[in-house]
Amino acid sequence: MSPTTLKSRIQLKVRFNECDPLQIVWHGNYLKYFEDGREALCIKHGISYLDMKQHGFATPIVKSSCEHKLPLQYGDTFEVETCFQPADSAKLVFTYKIFKGDKLVCVGETTQVFLNESKELVLINPPFFLDWKKKMGLI
Amino acid sequence: MSPTTLKSRIQLKVRFNECDPLQIVWHGNYLKYFEDGREALCIKHGISYLDMKQHGFATPIVKSSCEHKLPLQYGDTFEVETCFQPADSAKLVFTYKIFKGDKLVCVGETTQVFLNESKELVLINPPFFLDWKKKMGLI
Amino acid sequence: MSPTTLKSRIQLKVRFNECDPLQIVWHGNYLKYFEDGREALCIKHGISYLDMKQHGFATPIVKSSCEHKLPLQYGDTFEVETCFQPADSAKLVFTYKIFKGDKLVCVGETTQVFLNESKELVLINPPFFLDWKKKMGLI
Amino acid sequence: MSPTTLKSRIQLKVRFNECDPLQIVWHGNYLKYFEDGREALCIKHGISYLDMKQHGFATPIVKSSCEHKLPLQYGDTFEVETCFQPADSAKLVFTYKIFKGDKLVCVGETTQVFLNESKELVLINPPFFLDWKKKMGLI
């Protein structure tokens, strides 16, 4: 297990337009909250969408999952805790926990891969990414 | 007034995720219905997003409005009637009427401009667009 | 003209999922930004969706418009300035200005009406709303 | 294994506003496609959102996952194949396959639970649902 853990925590508020006729956040909108959490972590640590782009890579999501424990409603304030999960292969894995106060609302995970400028899947870790991992104390 | 009117009519159904806690379609989602109507008309008549792109132009929306007469609810089937409104200046204007059965649900309008490949505003009608208007009997 | 002006200003950031293939915020998403601005103002001054609900009213949007001057792109930080526009008739009118730095990005307007608990349109100002206007120094 | 399989297949087209700056469908929008597929199946077989509501139940999604094999782009036509997965416990499980032509684009799964009118989780199968399963030849 890696000695370093990259984590971030942001606070968000449920928008009216994110709720459905059941008066709760529509399940698909949690992926937006995960994206907000992931972006906060990635910007903080220099591996955001724009950083990747500068290095010639796009990192589309190839897998996502979400498990709901409690609903969120319009007006609720909540926190997204995002955690970078080091992987050996050339991918980016993040896990998410959403909390309303001290209650766990949902958990999730996403996996991203690297595409080069020709939109081809890159199977080995790009050098800049290995450098970044070293700098972060992850390898 | 132009003797030719370009019109299209498509049928859609309200998705669960387009409705809000008031149990009606969230107002901002009508712009998606307008887009569906506009695309149907544009594809039919050869001036779709992809046709434009091939000629080196993008046509972002610079103005939109929507006026609601009646709400739409989850499960409702409705029709979007889109009408191309010929303009002299270099822009694309479409008007929309949404009907549920014979009842008018809402009306709207959008305006698009032409951007060239350098993303600069084009103030005169692109030649391909004038050709298209002639072919359509609009000028 | 009313001597009092109710205004609010919030800062937001463009989300990746709000941008379209033209690399700019999809026009319909500006209505979400307007909603964020309106909510901030309404919560601050006690006429939010939940306040209305407590008084037995819903206030759906019956009209909206948006005019774009400049595009917003992924990662941009911007401000939404919302202004309550006093009206004599039973409706809620808000105007919006979005700024990126000191540049005006877009302007817009929305109109809401009052529906009672039977979802009927209320044509005269609800007493609680007149009280609120007095308290705010608007009448 | 059950001798009966409930399946449905619908055709959809990628909307412009469902695509992101990478020129592909934003990953979270696949949950909308799954919803479209699920609804088609549920309406066809009498267990739609509105059927459930009539029996006094809501069936929020408590788990979802999606795995992407290939991207979808603006203008693409694709098919969503939805399959009802019989479960013994009181839940609704659906699996999804999205195809573009004969190529598999993505696979996914959702799980829903039953909430009664007091919004309490129902741990045993509601009688109407058992009747429905019998009628369908699933038990």
Side-chain angles (χ1 to χ4, degrees):
Chain A
M1 200 199 283
S2 162
T4 312
T5 304
L6 298 186
K7 239 184 222 189
S8 89
R9 207 169 163 116
I10 56 163
Q11 198 185 61
L12 295 173
K13 205 176 165 182
V14 174
R15 286 168 157 181
F16 182 73
N17 56 65
E18 292 166 344
C19 296
D20 67 23
L22 290 177
Q23 319 282 339
I24 56 175
V25 171
W26 182 67
H27 67 281
N29 286 328
Y30 285 82
L31 292 175
K32 294 183 182 173
Y33 301 154
F34 291 170
E35 190 154 289
D36 285 345
R38 184 172 66 248
E39 297 254 309
L41 188 153
C42 288
I43 286 168
K44 187 177 157 191
H45 294 296
I47 51 159
S48 73
Y49 172 74
L50 295 173
D51 295 313
M52 295 291 185
K53 206 177 166 181
Q54 225 177 345
H55 284 99
F57 294 93
T59 51
I61 284 186
V62 293
K63 214 165 143 182
S64 61
S65 63
C66 187
E67 202 176 330
H68 305 270
K69 313 290 188 189
L70 287 172
L72 284 176
Q73 291 184 293
Y74 168 65
D76 282 349
T77 296
F78 61 95
E79 297 200 320
V80 185
E81 188 185 283
T82 307
C83 194
F84 177 82
Q85 302 291 349
D88 289 333
S89 54
K91 55 184 182 181
L92 291 161
V93 179
F94 294 94
T95 52
Y96 311 89
K97 282 184 188 166
I98 290 183
F99 294 94
K100 183 183 159 186
D102 56 359
K103 282 180 191 147
L104 183 62
V105 164
C106 90
V107 296
E109 185 172 325
T110 57
T111 303
Q112 290 162 273
V113 291
F114 292 94
L115 296 188
N116 64 20
E117 281 170 330
S118 317
K119 300 198 176 183
E120 294 158 340
L121 182 66
V122 172
L123 293 170
I124 54 163
N125 279 293
F128 91 92
F129 186 60
L130 288 175
D131 289 347
W132 175 83
K133 279 178 131 178
K134 271 177 213 151
K135 208 181 88 190
M136 289 291 131
L138 296 166
I139 49 175
Chain B
M1 198 198 285
S2 163
T4 311
T5 305
L6 297 188
K7 239 183 219 188
S8 89
R9 208 170 163 116
I10 56 163
Q11 197 183 61
L12 296 173
K13 206 176 164 182
V14 175
R15 284 168 158 182
F16 182 73
N17 56 65
E18 291 166 343
C19 296
D20 67 24
L22 291 177
Q23 319 282 337
I24 56 174
V25 171
W26 182 66
H27 67 283
N29 286 329
Y30 285 83
L31 292 175
K32 294 184 182 172
Y33 301 155
F34 291 170
E35 190 155 289
D36 285 344
R38 185 172 65 248
E39 298 253 308
L41 188 153
C42 288
I43 286 168
K44 186 177 157 192
H45 294 295
I47 50 162
S48 73
Y49 172 74
L50 295 172
D51 295 312
M52 295 291 186
K53 206 177 167 183
Q54 224 175 347
H55 284 98
F57 293 94
T59 52
I61 284 186
V62 292
K63 214 165 143 182
S64 61
S65 63
C66 187
E67 201 177 331
H68 305 268
K69 313 291 187 187
L70 288 172
L72 283 175
Q73 290 184 293
Y74 168 65
D76 282 349
T77 296
F78 60 96
E79 296 200 320
V80 185
E81 187 185 284
T82 308
C83 195
F84 176 82
Q85 301 290 348
D88 289 334
S89 54
K91 55 184 181 180
L92 290 162
V93 179
F94 294 93
T95 54
Y96 311 88
K97 281 185 187 164
I98 290 183
F99 294 94
K100 184 183 158 187
D102 56 0
K103 282 181 191 148
L104 183 62
V105 164
C106 90
V107 296
E109 185 172 324
T110 58
T111 303
Q112 290 161 273
V113 291
F114 292 95
L115 297 188
N116 64 21
E117 281 170 332
S118 317
K119 299 199 177 183
E120 293 157 341
L121 182 66
V122 172
L123 293 171
I124 54 162
N125 279 294
F128 90 91
F129 186 59
L130 288 175
D131 289 347
W132 175 83
K133 277 177 134 179
K134 272 178 211 148
K135 207 181 89 189
M136 288 292 131
L138 296 165
I139 50 173
Chain C
M1 200 198 285
S2 162
T4 313
T5 304
L6 298 186
K7 239 183 220 187
S8 89
R9 207 170 164 115
I10 56 164
Q11 197 183 64
L12 295 174
K13 205 175 165 183
V14 174
R15 286 168 157 181
F16 182 73
N17 56 66
E18 292 167 343
C19 297
D20 67 24
L22 290 176
Q23 318 282 339
I24 57 175
V25 171
W26 182 68
H27 67 282
N29 286 329
Y30 285 82
L31 291 175
K32 295 184 182 173
Y33 301 155
F34 291 171
E35 190 155 288
D36 285 345
R38 185 173 64 247
E39 298 253 308
L41 188 153
C42 288
I43 285 168
K44 186 178 158 192
H45 294 296
I47 50 160
S48 73
Y49 172 74
L50 295 174
D51 295 312
M52 294 292 185
K53 207 176 166 182
Q54 224 175 347
H55 283 100
F57 293 93
T59 51
I61 284 185
V62 292
K63 215 165 142 181
S64 61
S65 64
C66 187
E67 202 176 330
H68 306 269
K69 314 290 187 189
L70 287 172
L72 284 175
Q73 290 185 294
Y74 169 65
D76 281 349
T77 296
F78 61 96
E79 296 200 321
V80 185
E81 187 186 284
T82 307
C83 194
F84 176 82
Q85 301 291 347
D88 289 333
S89 54
K91 56 185 183 183
L92 291 161
V93 179
F94 294 94
T95 53
Y96 311 89
K97 283 185 186 164
I98 291 182
F99 294 95
K100 184 183 159 186
D102 56 359
K103 281 182 191 147
L104 183 63
V105 165
C106 90
V107 295
E109 186 173 324
T110 57
T111 303
Q112 291 162 273
V113 291
F114 292 94
L115 295 188
N116 64 20
E117 281 170 330
S118 317
K119 301 199 175 181
E120 293 157 340
L121 182 66
V122 172
L123 293 170
I124 55 163
N125 279 293
F128 92 91
F129 186 59
L130 288 175
D131 289 348
W132 176 83
K133 278 177 134 180
K134 272 177 212 151
K135 208 181 89 190
M136 288 292 130
L138 295 165
I139 49 173
Chain D
M1 202 198 282
S2 162
T4 312
T5 305
L6 298 186
K7 238 184 222 189
S8 90
R9 209 171 164 115
I10 55 164
Q11 198 184 61
L12 294 173
K13 206 176 165 182
V14 175
R15 286 168 157 181
F16 182 73
N17 56 65
E18 292 166 344
C19 296
D20 67 23
L22 290 176
Q23 319 281 340
I24 56 174
V25 171
W26 182 68
H27 67 283
N29 286 328
Y30 286 82
L31 292 175
K32 295 183 183 173
Y33 301 154
F34 291 170
E35 190 155 288
D36 285 345
R38 187 173 63 249
E39 298 253 308
L41 189 152
C42 288
I43 285 168
K44 186 176 157 192
H45 294 295
I47 51 161
S48 73
Y49 173 73
L50 296 174
D51 294 314
M52 295 292 186
K53 206 177 168 183
Q54 225 176 346
H55 284 99
F57 293 93
T59 52
I61 284 185
V62 292
K63 214 167 145 181
S64 61
S65 64
C66 187
E67 202 176 331
H68 305 268
K69 313 290 186 187
L70 287 172
L72 284 175
Q73 290 184 293
Y74 168 64
D76 281 350
T77 295
F78 60 96
E79 296 201 321
V80 186
E81 188 185 284
T82 307
C83 194
F84 177 83
Q85 301 292 347
D88 288 334
S89 54
K91 56 184 180 179
L92 291 162
V93 179
F94 294 93
T95 53
Y96 310 90
K97 283 185 187 165
I98 290 183
F99 294 95
K100 184 183 159 186
D102 56 358
K103 282 180 191 148
L104 184 62
V105 165
C106 88
V107 296
E109 186 172 323
T110 57
T111 303
Q112 291 162 273
V113 292
F114 291 95
L115 296 187
N116 64 19
E117 282 170 330
S118 317
K119 300 199 175 182
E120 294 158 341
L121 182 66
V122 172
L123 293 171
I124 54 162
N125 279 294
F128 92 91
F129 186 60
L130 288 176
D131 289 347
W132 175 83
K133 278 177 133 178
K134 272 177 212 151
K135 208 180 89 189
M136 288 292 130
L138 296 165
I139 49 173

